Amino acid sequence: MKRLHFVFLFFFAPLCLFAQKQFSGTILDSATKSPISDVIIKIQGKSKGTTSDSLGNFMISATAGDVLNISSNGYSTAHVTLGDNNNISVLLGASVNTTLDQVVVVGYGTQRKVDVTGSVVQIKGAELAKQGVVNPVSGLQGKVPGVNITNTGTPGSSPQINIRGVGSYSSNTAPLYVVDGVWLTDISYLNPNDIESMSILKDASSESIYGVRGANGVVLITTKKGSRRGLTVNYNGSVGVQIANHFPKMANGYEYATMINELTRLTGGTSVLDSSQFGTGTNWFDVASRKAIITSHQVSVSGGSDKSTYNLSLGYLNQDGILKTNTYKRYTLSFSNDINLTNNIKTGYNIIGTYSKSFDPPANIWRGLYTAPPIINPKNADGTYGDPTQYGLGSAVSNPQATLDYNHATTQNYHINGNMYLDISFLKHFKWHSSIGGIYDNTETQTFVPIYQATVNQYSAHTTLTDGKLNTKNWIVENTLTYENKWGDHRFTGLLGQTAYKNNYGESYTTGSDGTITNDPATWYFTSATPGTTYNVTPTNPQTYPAQEKVSSYFGRMSYSYKNKYTFNGTLRADASSKFTANSGRAWLPSFGAAWVVSNEGFMANQKIFDALKLKASWGEVGNSGVPAYVATQQGTSTGSVIYGNSGNISSSQSVASIVPNPLKWEKSIGTDIGIEAAFLQNRLTFEADYYNKKTKDFVFPVPVLGTNGTAASTILTNVGDMVNKGFEVALNWKDNIDENWSYNIGVNASQNTNKFTYSRLENGFVYGGNVSTGGQQGTLTTVGHPVGAFYGYKVIGIFQTQAEVNSYTDANGNLYQPDAKPGDFKYESFTKNGAISGNDRTFIGNPNPKYYYGINMGLRFKSFDLALDFNGVADVDVYNANKGYRYGNENFTEKFYNERWHGEGTSNTNPSVNIGGNQNYYANSWYVESGAYFRLRNAQLGYTLPHELTEKWKIQNLRFYANAQNPFTITKYTGFTPEVGGLPGSMGIDYNTYPLYATYTIGVNLTF
C-alpha cells in the first residue's frame, strides 16, 4: 500500500506542479481605459501576491481556478477567476467612498485615510517627474496647501520649504526628510524619477512620531521598487533650453551718464561725462547671460518574481546656468532589492549614490551686473578690459566680464545613502521590523585666483588656492513592533519603536598662495596633499569644525477605529539628544487625534449631498533640536602666542570663544488642527479644509553680548520667548470622466498663515537683523506683537522739493526733523515729533512672511493626448529690494528709475534724486520695500501616447512624447530679479544678488519595453 502511494505521488505530483503557470494581465480604469499602477493582486486564500507596474501590467504564478482579489486605492475591489487564458484584462471602477478608502504613508507605517486624524498629504512620484524639475521639492510648489516653496535659479541648488510658516529663528527651519527610513536635511541629490511617493506631515499629531526632528514638518519619501513580473526597461529623456525672463531693464549709456553727472553736481562736483557720446552702451545682462541648455536621461530596469524583486535606475543631468561659465552635472544610481525568504520573513535593501560637479558663479556677480556702468566695454578693440577708472567712476563699480573670466570656482559632491531591513510576521497579528541605514556625504569646493591685472581695481598680485571640505556621516538603527487586529466592528493597531541615531560632520578650509601654483589646473594642489612634488605652497589659515550629535528615542502609537465611524489615535515619543545637557532630560512629546466619519452614520443613509463626510481634530507636541552641537560646551579659540615669566619660552595661547548659556531647553512646537473632509457628486468633487494653530515655545534667539566680555562670539543662544503660526488651508478638487475618450480634472488649493512673535523674556524685547544697505544698515526687527523678521525702518512720506521745504519741516518747537536733507532727498515721517529724525522714528514697513499662497492644477485627456497646467502664486508679502540700496559710488540705475527720478522741483514726489547713497537716503526705509506678490504658470505639459495597438506590434509597452514649459510667464509688480526671495529668519525676503529664475522649455520621450 505504501508503495502504491509512492507511485501515485511520483507520477501525479509533478502534474500538480505543472498545473501552476504564469498569468499576465493589465489593470485599466473602467472609465478612462488608462492603466492603473500599484494595484494589489492577491490569490484568494493564499499569501501570494504582486502589484501592477506603471503601465498597469502584472505577472503572477497561479493555477487555473484560483481567484484573484484585485484592489487599489480609490477603486472597488474586483474578483477574477482564472481560466485557460494566460493573459487577462481587468477593468476597475471607482469606489463609492473613494476619498476615505485610500491608504497613505505616515510615520513608521501606513494608515487608511479614514483613520488619519491629522493633516497628511500624499503626492505620487509620477506627478513630480511629469514636471521636469531638477529637485523634487520644487515639484511640490502649488500642489500642497500649507507648504510654501521658494525656488532659486542657481543650478543644483535646493529650494527653501516652509510648512505652515517659519517655526524657528536660530534653530533649523527645514523639514525632516525621511528617504526609505534614512533621515536627511536635504534631498538635492535625489532624482525625481526615482520617487514612488511623497507624504507631507503638516500637523503636530502626525509629526510627533518623529519627536525633536519634527517641528518644521516631515517629508516621507518612498523610492521605486521592483515588481513581480518579467523584465521591464524604461527610458525617460528630455532636452531643452532655459531663458531668463525677468531681468530688470537697466539705464543705457546715455541715461547712465546723465544721472552720474547729476550725482556729481549734487555731491559738490562738476560734470565729467559727455552723455551724448555713449548711446545705448553695454547691456551687461546680455553680455553675461545665455540661453542655457538642459538635458536629462534616465534608464531603469526592474522586474522580479514571487520570491524577489529588483529595481535599477541610472540618471544623468546636465544643466547649464543662464550665467555664462556656470554649469551643473549630476550622475545618479539607485538600486533596490526585496526578497521573500519565507511567507513570513522578508528582507531587502536599497542604495542611492550621486556624484555632482558644478562650476560656480563668482560671488555677488548678479549685483555686479546690476550696477556695472553701461558706458564701458566688456573688452576694448585691443583686447584689454573696459576700465571704469577711465571715466573717473572710482572703485565701487567693476567690469563683470573680467570677474567672469578670472573666476575658477568648483563644487563637487559625493553622496551615498542606503538602508537594509528585515520584516518578520508572526502570531498572525504581529510584525517585527528592523532597519539600519545611513549616509556618507562629502562636498569639496575649490577656488583658484591667478595673477592678473584686468583693470586698475581688478587685479591679483598672487596666485591663491582655497580648498574647502564639508563631510557628513551618519547612521540610524530603528526597531518597531506592530500589532494589528480587526474583530467585528473594531480595528486596532499598536506600534512600539526605538531609534538610535548618530551624526558626525566637519568643515575645513585651507588656503595657499604663490609657490609653483600656475594657471594650469594640474598644479592646483597643496604640497601636503601631494608628497614628493615641488609645489612649494604652504597651507595657511586652516579652520576645522568637527561636531557630533547623538539621539536616543523610544516611541509608541495606537490607533482604534469602531465601525469605520469613530477613530482615535495617540502617540508618545521620548527623545534625548547630545546637543543638550543632561539637565534637559528627555523630551516627552505626546499627541492625540480623533475623527468622526459622519457619512457612515445611519441618519446619513438617505441623504444625497455627501458621498463622504469626515470631521477630525488633533493636538500634539513636537521639538526642534536644530541648534549647534556644542552650544553647552565651553569653547576656546587660538589667539596667537604668549611669553610666561622671565623664561622667554613662547607658548600658544587661547581665549574664550563663547559664553556657555544657561541650559537650553528644546524648542517645543504645540499644535492644534481641526479639519473636515468631504466628497460630493459621486466622488467627483472633493473638499478638504483645516484650521491650525502652531505655537513655538522657548524660542531660541541669538542674544547680543557685550564686547567687554572678551569673547570671539558676539551673541549667545538662549530660550527667549514664544511664537505662533496660525491659519487656514483649503483644497478643492474636481475629477470627471465624460466618456471613454474625454476626462479632465481641476484642483484649487489655498493657504493663509499669520506669523507673530507673542512673548519675550529679553529685557529690551527685540532683535535686529538683515543687512540691507550701505553702512551696515539693518532692516528687520523681531519683537513681540509682530512677525519674525519684519522689515523695519523709516516711513517715506514724500520727496523734498526745495530747501524751503526742508527748512519748514520742523516739530512744534521749530527743530528741524531732517537738518542735513537736501532737495531730492527722502522725507521721513517723524513719530516722536521731537527734533531730528533718529532711530526712534523707525516703524514696521513690510512683512516678508507670505500671508497667502495658492495653487491651481488642471488636467485634460482626449484619447491619446494629455494636457497638464499648474499655476501657483503668493499674495500679501513684501520684498526688500536691497539692489537699489547698496550704493558706494557710481553704480548704475534701472531705466524705470531714470524715467521717474527726482531731478528738479516738481519732477517726482515718489522717487528720490540719484543721490540714493548719500545723506540719509540709504537708511532702511519704505521706498525699498516692494510687493512680492506674483501669479505664475508654473508648468505646462502636452503629451501624446502612441496607441497600444501600434506599440504592441513593435514589442513596446508604452511610448509617450511630450513638450513641457516651466515658468513661461510670471505676473508681478516686483522690479527686481525675482519675487521669490528666501533667506533665514531675520533676513528673509531681502533681495541682494539673488540668482534669477528662468523659463525652461523642453521636449522629451518616455519609452517602456
Side-chain angles (χ1 to χ4, degrees):
M1 191 67 178
K2 291 182 179 178
R3 182 175 298 177
L4 184 61
H5 287 166
F6 178 81
V7 172
F8 181 88
L9 292 172
F10 182 84
F11 283 98
F12 288 96
L15 297 179
C16 297
L17 294 174
F18 291 143
Q20 193 172 68
K21 57 184 180 180
Q22 292 286 340
F23 288 84
S24 61
T26 304
I27 314 294
L28 302 174
D29 186 295
S30 62
T32 66
K33 301 302 185 294
S34 57
I36 309 173
S37 62
D38 302 318
V39 178
I40 299 173
I41 302 102
K42 280 195 172 183
I43 301 174
Q44 188 170 293
K46 300 179 183 179
S47 60
K48 273 189 177 180
T50 186
T51 57
S52 64
D53 62 16
S54 60
L55 301 175
N57 298 321
F58 71 92
M59 185 175 291
I60 192 170
S61 296
T63 305
D66 283 345
V67 177
L68 300 183
N69 295 332
I70 302 173
S71 60
S72 179
N73 291 338
Y75 293 91
S76 298
T77 300
H79 307 281
V80 178
T81 302
L82 298 176
D84 295 330
N85 189 354
N86 293 358
N87 200 327
I88 60 176
S89 180
V90 181
L91 300 177
L92 292 186
S95 169
V96 175
N97 204 17
T98 181
T99 59
L100 300 182
D101 286 342
Q102 299 176 21
V103 176
V104 296
V105 177
V106 295
Y108 301 100
T110 59
Q111 279 187 328
R112 300 181 306 161
K113 192 168 177 61
V114 69
D115 295 327
V116 174
T117 58
S119 184
V120 180
V121 176
Q122 184 163 290
I123 302 292
K124 287 188 174 294
E127 193 171 343
L128 299 175
K130 214 172 194 180
Q131 298 184 61
V133 293
V134 174
N135 190 298
V137 175
S138 295
L140 297 176
Q141 191 171 42
K143 296 282 188 181
V144 183
V147 177
N148 184 38
I149 307 292
T150 303
N151 287 296
T152 174
T154 307
S157 62
S158 297
Q160 184 173 331
I161 174 172
N162 288 319
I163 299 176
R164 291 185 168 178
V166 176
S168 185
Y169 190 97
S170 299
S171 298
N172 180 33
T173 60
L176 170 67
Y177 298 98
V178 183
V179 180
D180 294 328
V182 179
W183 292 2
L184 298 128
T185 56
D186 179 72
I187 55 170
S188 58
Y189 73 92
L190 195 58
N191 188 334
N193 292 295
D194 289 332
I195 294 176
E196 183 66 32
S197 68
M198 294 178 71
S199 286
I200 298 91
L201 315 184
K202 299 188 294 180
D203 74 303
S205 70
S206 59
E207 299 161 350
S208 65
I209 196 72
Y210 289 100
V212 297
R213 295 296 297 267
N216 299 310
V218 181
V219 180
L220 306 177
I221 298 174
T222 303
T223 58
K224 290 180 178 178
K225 311 298 181 187
S227 59
R228 295 171 180 170
R229 59 184 307 277
L231 177 69
T232 298
V233 179
N234 175 265
Y235 167 76
N236 191 0
S238 64
V239 60
V241 60
Q242 302 164 131
I243 303 173
N245 56 3
H246 201 265
F247 281 149
K249 189 171 184 180
M250 307 306 296
N252 63 29
Y254 169 82
E255 295 163 344
Y256 171 80
T258 300
M259 289 187 286
I260 293 303
N261 285 336
E262 287 180 17
L263 178 61
T264 303
R265 292 192 296 270
L266 286 170
T267 54
T270 56
S271 301
V272 294
L273 300 175
D274 180 4
S275 57
S276 63
Q277 69 170 312
F278 294 112
T280 58
T282 301
N283 185 322
W284 284 104
F285 290 132
D286 287 347
V287 169
S289 65
R290 62 184 171 184
K291 294 180 179 178
I293 302 299
I294 180 171
T295 57
S296 175
H297 305 279
Q298 188 200 30
V299 177
S300 64
V301 180
S302 64
S305 64
D306 292 343
K307 292 293 184 182
S308 175
T309 62
Y310 63 89
N311 183 77
L312 171 66
S313 170
L314 299 172
Y316 168 72
L317 170 73
N318 188 349
Q319 181 184 16
D320 290 338
I322 58 171
L323 180 73
K324 293 177 180 177
T325 74
N326 180 206
T327 63
Y328 175 75
K329 291 183 179 181
R330 183 182 68 195
Y331 305 83
T332 58
L333 180 148
S334 175
F335 182 72
S336 66
N337 187 202
D338 298 285
I339 305 165
N340 292 319
L341 299 177
T342 69
N343 288 338
N344 299 320
I345 303 176
K346 182 179 180 180
T347 188
Y349 60 90
N350 69 278
I351 300 173
I352 300 175
T354 302
Y355 167 75
S356 64
K357 183 174 183 179
S358 62
F359 289 87
D360 304 324
N364 296 325
I365 183 61
W366 293 106
R367 165 69 182 164
L369 293 168
Y370 186 95
T371 59
I375 64 175
I376 65 170
N377 298 318
K379 279 194 172 182
N380 299 317
D382 60 1
T384 60
Y385 289 94
D387 193 338
T389 61
Q390 175 185 350
Y391 299 101
L393 299 177
S395 60
V397 290
S398 60
N399 185 326
Q401 185 65 59
T403 304
L404 284 172
D405 290 347
Y406 290 102
N407 174 66
H408 305 281
T410 61
T411 299
Q412 296 185 82
N413 176 262
Y414 306 84
H415 178 97
I416 184 169
N417 70 270
N419 175 271
M420 297 177 61
Y421 73 90
L422 175 67
D423 288 342
I424 303 175
S425 301
F426 61 98
L427 298 179
K428 192 176 181 179
H429 301 297
F430 289 90
K431 181 179 180 180
W432 177 269
H433 175 83
S434 291
S435 68
I436 180 171
I439 71 169
Y440 172 82
D441 188 278
N442 185 62
T443 300
E444 300 177 355
T445 61
Q446 186 175 76
T447 303
F448 170 71
V449 179
I451 296 174
Y452 74 98
Q453 179 82 50
T455 68
V456 170
N457 295 305
Q458 290 175 272
Y459 68 93
S460 174
H462 303 275
T463 56
T464 305
L465 182 68
T466 301
D467 280 354
K469 295 183 186 296
L470 176 62
N471 184 273
T472 302
K473 295 177 288 186
N474 69 43
W475 55 258
I476 183 171
V477 176
E478 295 190 301
N479 296 286
T480 60
L481 176 64
T482 303
Y483 172 83
E484 187 172 4
N485 194 8
K486 183 181 183 300
W487 67 99
D489 295 327
H490 309 273
R491 182 188 294 267
F492 177 83
T493 301
L495 171 76
L496 293 175
Q498 167 269 333
T499 296
Y501 171 80
K502 182 178 180 180
N503 185 41
N504 294 280
Y505 51 98
E507 185 176 1
S508 64
Y509 298 93
T510 308
T511 300
S513 300
D514 299 330
T516 56
I517 294 180
T518 68
N519 291 354
D520 183 359
T523 67
W524 296 354
Y525 295 95
F526 299 111
T527 54
S528 59
T530 316
T533 66
T534 57
Y535 303 142
N536 300 316
V537 180
T538 303
T540 59
N541 301 325
Q543 305 173 58
T544 306
Y545 305 96
Q548 185 180 91
E549 177 191 9
K550 298 178 182 178
V551 176
S552 171
S553 308
Y554 301 94
F555 54 90
R557 178 176 60 210
M558 60 83 65
S559 176
Y560 172 74
S561 176
Y562 177 66
K563 286 189 175 182
N564 286 333
K565 298 180 185 178
Y566 318 109
T567 299
F568 175 81
N569 288 317
T571 301
L572 179 64
R573 180 160 180 137
D575 278 331
S577 171
S578 62
K579 289 185 175 182
F580 299 86
T581 65
N583 294 333
S584 299
R586 285 190 177 271
W588 294 87
L589 303 168
S591 73
F592 308 96
W596 177 26
V597 184
V598 184
S599 53
N600 286 347
E601 294 287 0
F603 61 79
M604 296 286 287
N606 297 320
Q607 58 84 31
K608 303 299 182 183
I609 299 176
F610 297 99
D611 298 314
L613 176 62
K614 172 184 164 185
L615 305 177
K616 61 182 181 178
S618 64
W619 174 94
E621 293 185 354
V622 283
N624 192 340
S625 61
V627 298
Y630 300 128
V631 68
T633 303
Q634 182 68 71
Q635 299 180 50
T637 182
S638 178
T639 56
S641 302
V642 65
I643 300 176
Y644 291 102
N646 298 320
S647 64
N649 295 328
I650 300 176
S651 303
S652 60
S653 65
Q654 286 198 336
S655 66
V656 176
S658 61
I659 298 175
V660 176
N662 292 326
L664 278 179
K665 301 177 183 178
W666 315 87
E667 269 190 357
K668 189 175 287 188
S669 181
I670 303 171
T672 301
D673 186 279
I674 301 173
I676 181 173
E677 300 173 14
F680 313 85
L681 303 174
Q682 296 180 319
N683 289 295
R684 289 176 295 177
L685 177 65
T686 61
F687 171 79
E688 292 190 32
D690 286 87
Y691 165 78
Y692 63 88
N693 188 315
K694 183 172 70 172
K695 180 180 181 180
T696 302
K697 290 191 66 177
D698 298 322
F699 206 46
V700 176
F701 247 53
V703 179
V705 296
L706 294 175
T708 53
N709 286 315
T711 60
S714 60
T715 60
I716 180 175
L717 290 179
T718 187
N719 302 101
V720 300
D722 302 339
M723 177 182 64
V724 169
N725 285 279
K726 59 182 178 181
F728 295 90
E729 300 168 357
V730 61
L732 195 65
N733 293 281
W734 172 270
K735 183 178 181 181
D736 192 19
N737 302 312
I738 300 174
D739 55 36
E740 64 178 14
N741 293 324
W742 286 92
S743 65
Y744 68 98
N745 64 276
I746 302 173
V748 179
N749 69 81
S751 307
Q752 179 268 325
N753 182 76
T754 300
N755 173 278
K756 186 178 289 186
F757 190 33
T758 57
Y759 167 72
S760 176
R761 298 187 185 93
L762 293 178
E763 184 177 344
N764 53 19
F766 56 82
V767 171
Y768 291 104
N771 292 329
V772 295
S773 69
T774 312
Q777 289 284 311
Q778 292 184 307
T780 71
L781 180 67
T782 300
T783 191
V784 172
H786 296 276
V788 170
F791 297 135
Y792 190 74
Y794 297 93
K795 181 180 178 181
V796 175
I797 58 174
I799 305 297
F800 287 114
Q801 301 297 315
T802 63
Q803 188 61 44
E805 184 180 355
V806 173
N807 296 337
S808 64
Y809 189 42
T810 64
D811 63 14
N813 297 318
N815 299 311
L816 290 176
Y817 282 137
Q818 293 179 249
D820 297 325
K822 303 294 183 185
D825 287 353
F826 289 121
K827 184 178 183 180
Y828 297 134
E829 183 171 354
S830 173
F831 291 96
T832 60
K833 307 297 182 184
N834 184 20
I837 293 287
S838 68
N840 295 326
D841 290 296
R842 290 174 294 176
T843 187
F844 289 93
I845 54 177
N847 184 6
N849 300 278
K851 188 171 185 178
Y852 304 102
Y853 35 100
Y854 55 92
I856 304 171
N857 307 289
M858 298 185 290
L860 174 68
R861 183 195 63 83
F862 173 67
K863 293 186 177 180
S864 295
F865 290 92
D866 61 271
L867 174 68
L869 298 173
D870 297 322
F871 301 86
N872 82 287
V874 174
D876 201 357
V877 63
D878 298 307
V879 175
Y880 195 103
N881 193 345
N883 295 299
K884 300 190 298 185
Y886 273 98
R887 308 196 69 84
Y888 300 92
N890 296 308
E891 292 90 348
N892 198 8
F893 304 83
T894 63
E895 183 184 70
K896 183 177 186 296
F897 179 79
Y898 170 80
N899 292 328
E900 300 175 2
R901 77 194 187 284
W902 184 95
H903 53 284
E905 183 179 355
T907 54
S908 175
N909 196 40
T910 304
N911 294 290
S913 71
V914 293
N915 191 24
I916 296 177
N919 298 333
Q920 296 178 323
N921 296 320
Y922 65 91
Y923 286 5
N925 68 58
S926 58
W927 183 77
Y928 299 106
V929 178
E930 303 180 34
S931 171
Y934 69 86
F935 175 74
R936 171 180 294 143
L937 175 55
R938 173 65 181 145
N939 203 76
Q941 186 172 111
L942 176 64
Y944 176 75
T945 303
L946 266 65
H948 182 66
E949 298 79 10
L950 181 61
T951 57
E952 192 175 32
K953 296 178 182 179
W954 302 340
K955 306 300 181 183
I956 293 175
Q957 293 187 31
N958 186 69
L959 180 57
R960 179 176 180 268
F961 300 94
Y962 61 90
N964 198 82
Q966 192 175 99
N967 302 332
F969 74 80
T970 301
I971 300 173
T972 182
K973 294 181 179 180
Y974 182 62
T975 63
F977 290 111
T978 171
E980 281 194 69
V981 182
L984 297 174
S987 60
M988 187 167 61
I990 299 174
D991 183 8
Y992 178 81
N993 196 56
T994 301
Y995 201 118
L997 291 177
Y998 37 79
T1000 304
Y1001 303 94
T1002 56
I1003 55 174
V1005 61
N1006 191 297
L1007 170 66
T1008 304
F1009 56 89

